[in-house]
Amino acid sequence: MHLLALNPTDSVTEGFLPAAARLGLAVTLLTDQPEAHERAYARHADLGGQLPATLDVAPCDVRDFREVISRIAAAPDGRRPRAVFTNSDHLQTQAALAAAYFDLPGKDWRVALRTKNKAELRRALAAAGADTIWSTELGTGDDPSALADLDAPFPCVVKPREGVASEDVVLVADAAELVRTCRDIRAHRPDAALVVEEYLHGELRTLETLGDGRTLHVLGAFRTDVSPPPHFIEERLHLLPAPPPQPHTGQVLAQLRALGVGFGACHTEYVVQGDRARLIEVNYRAIGDQCDLVLAELLGIPLFEHILRTHLGEPLPPDLGARTDGRVRMEYVTADRPGRLVAAPAASVTERDGVRLDYRPLREIGEEHPLYRTNRDFLGVLRATGTDQGRIDAAVTEFLAAHRWEIAS
């Protein structure tokens, strides 16, 4: 299997690579950051983590599908690849094109592009009659001053057309603030195309799905709490009781079908407005920030193996046999200022009263960072799991009160 990646992630290190090992796959990991991956996998192995018996990390400009195809075709052993896979938001189209070139199972590259490109996502949904919201696009090189007289339903949200993780996603109150915000984003993203769209009020939820191109399974759904506007930073997620609530789940599935989504994992974010589900974005990969690891644990299924098997051309079972009694709260401890982290708890795992608390630091003591206003501000993540939501919430509250995180300006 050829796996495409940018920076190392927990999803790959703790999820997909151990799954590939259990499936007996030799893995060639193509990345533009090979040294970072080698360090991450060495740490994982030192902690007793599982890795494929054959794991080659190879440098490659993975953002260029032509380079990806060339590297795969020029494999030194000359073996034909069995699968091309990525869990990166940024590399779905490249992986899909490479899989198609080698006649391997994979996502339709047009669907991968359609979901990644937020302007094209809106156009596709409107053309299919699935949902229409007001939106416009500021193309690469276009002057933000062109938006000064925009007749828009303020407040609006501005965001990078191919952005991820709420980075540079900002709520703006009027045209003057819109122009200023676009200029601010362009100052550090000079070539970014931007999308401006109406602000969708309502409770934020996710829908997690897994398909093989024929069968589409609903894995679960989360309710997401985000920081107050103008920024949208995820603060915590709760797994909703199974089955996910209707009619919203059915509406989201219908919109995914209209987009052509149905192969492999997909993480969809939407807002609830009464009986309507309004899509925010479609991430054609597994949910991240350790939620996928927790979901596999709670469902009691080989989730990562299932995802890889779809890319090997194997059908999914009609019934995944997933548990439905698990509950989880993902709590993200987030920096509220720039500076150096001088105090924070160490990693720990405890179990009491039917609740398992797994705390993972995401920033080391002594690290200094600016304030990003994205999930890059996370200092640590607390995974609280069990079967009783009240006990879970009480355990999280107690943990947060008993520990401190201190940043020196």
Side-chain angles (χ1 to χ4, degrees):
M1 180 180 75
H2 284 76
L3 194 156
L4 278 55
L6 296 172
N7 56 295
T9 64
D10 293 331
S11 296
V12 170
T13 304
E14 300 183 36
F16 289 108
L17 287 179
R22 291 189 290 270
L23 292 174
L25 294 172
V27 176
T28 298
L29 189 137
L30 302 178
T31 179
D32 59 353
Q33 301 176 46
E35 294 85 3
H37 282 269
E38 288 169 350
R39 290 193 299 269
Y41 304 148
R43 287 194 300 269
H44 181 66
D46 287 344
L47 294 172
Q50 189 177 20
L51 291 171
T54 301
L55 173 59
D56 297 322
V57 178
C60 179
D61 181 4
V62 283
R63 293 181 185 269
D64 187 336
F65 72 92
R66 296 163 298 187
E67 288 300 313
V68 171
I69 291 171
S70 294
R71 288 303 301 263
I72 295 174
D77 57 11
R79 290 185 299 176
R80 184 179 184 276
R82 288 187 60 195
V84 179
F85 173 75
T86 187
N87 197 53
S88 168
D89 268 310
H90 301 283
L91 303 177
Q92 294 297 331
T93 303
Q94 294 88 331
L97 284 165
Y101 182 85
F102 292 105
D103 294 321
L104 299 172
K107 296 166 183 171
D108 185 324
W109 71 266
R110 294 164 296 188
V111 178
L113 188 150
R114 187 180 301 144
T115 52
K116 175 64 176 170
N117 182 312
K118 293 174 174 59
E120 186 60 17
L121 173 75
R122 294 301 180 199
R123 287 189 285 264
L125 288 172
D131 191 24
T132 301
I133 76 164
W134 184 94
S135 67
T136 190
E137 186 176 358
L138 185 72
T140 302
D142 291 348
D143 191 334
S145 64
L147 302 174
D149 298 320
L150 189 65
D151 183 17
F154 290 105
C156 284
V157 175
V158 59
K159 52 190 174 183
R161 190 182 64 194
E162 283 90 12
V164 296
S166 73
E167 188 165 0
D168 290 321
V169 180
V170 184
L171 186 69
V172 295
D174 52 39
E177 189 175 355
L178 171 62
V179 172
R180 287 197 304 271
T181 300
C182 289
R183 285 177 174 156
D184 289 344
I185 296 172
R186 283 281 177 80
H188 57 272
R189 290 182 182 234
D191 299 323
L194 305 176
V195 171
V196 184
E197 60 186 36
E198 70 176 274
Y199 175 45
L200 297 176
H201 300 264
E203 182 179 277
L204 180 61
R205 295 180 183 173
T206 83
L207 190 70
E208 313 307 323
T209 56
L210 172 63
D212 59 11
R214 296 170 295 274
T215 301
L216 185 63
H217 292 286
V218 174
L219 299 171
F222 290 90
R223 187 187 80 242
T224 306
D225 296 336
V226 296
S227 61
H231 302 284
F232 302 88
I233 307 167
E234 292 183 354
E235 295 181 336
R236 69 191 57 84
L237 288 89
H238 291 88
L239 185 69
L240 296 174
Q246 295 290 0
H248 309 106
T249 297
Q251 293 175 13
V252 172
L253 292 174
Q255 293 180 69
L256 292 178
R257 285 192 293 270
L259 293 168
V261 170
F263 188 92
C266 187
H267 163 58
T268 305
E269 298 180 5
Y270 68 98
V271 161
V272 171
Q273 293 183 336
D275 289 337
R276 297 184 66 189
R278 315 292 303 280
L279 291 196
I280 297 293
E281 63 181 39
V282 177
N283 303 279
Y284 210 178
R285 41 85 178 164
I287 187 173
D289 292 322
Q290 300 194 19
C291 290
D292 47 357
L293 301 170
V294 167
L295 196 59
E297 174 188 331
L298 288 180
L299 297 178
I301 62 173
L303 176 59
F304 296 97
E305 287 94 324
H306 280 320
I307 295 171
L308 293 182
R309 283 190 176 107
T310 64
H311 289 264
L312 292 166
E314 299 179 20
L316 291 167
D319 185 348
L320 297 177
R323 290 178 50 194
T324 60
D325 61 339
R327 299 290 179 267
V328 64
R329 174 169 166 177
M330 304 290 294
E331 188 78 22
Y332 299 103
V333 181
T334 306
D336 61 357
R337 70 198 72 179
R340 181 170 56 90
L341 184 65
V342 296
S348 64
V349 178
T350 60
E351 292 194 44
R352 193 178 69 183
D353 295 332
V355 177
R356 185 175 192 268
L357 294 179
D358 185 340
Y359 175 74
R360 308 278 189 94
L362 298 177
R363 190 178 293 184
E364 294 183 4
I365 300 292
E367 284 190 39
E368 186 164 359
H369 290 271
L371 192 64
Y372 299 104
R373 302 192 188 281
T374 73
N375 63 3
R376 286 192 287 166
D377 293 323
F378 291 168
L379 302 177
V381 55
L382 179 62
R383 298 158 36 170
T385 55
T387 56
D388 185 301
Q389 192 65 55
R391 289 184 178 182
I392 288 172
D393 291 337
V396 170
T397 299
E398 182 179 342
F399 181 92
L400 296 177
H403 296 86
R404 68 186 183 96
W405 293 258
E406 184 178 340
I407 295 176
S409 301

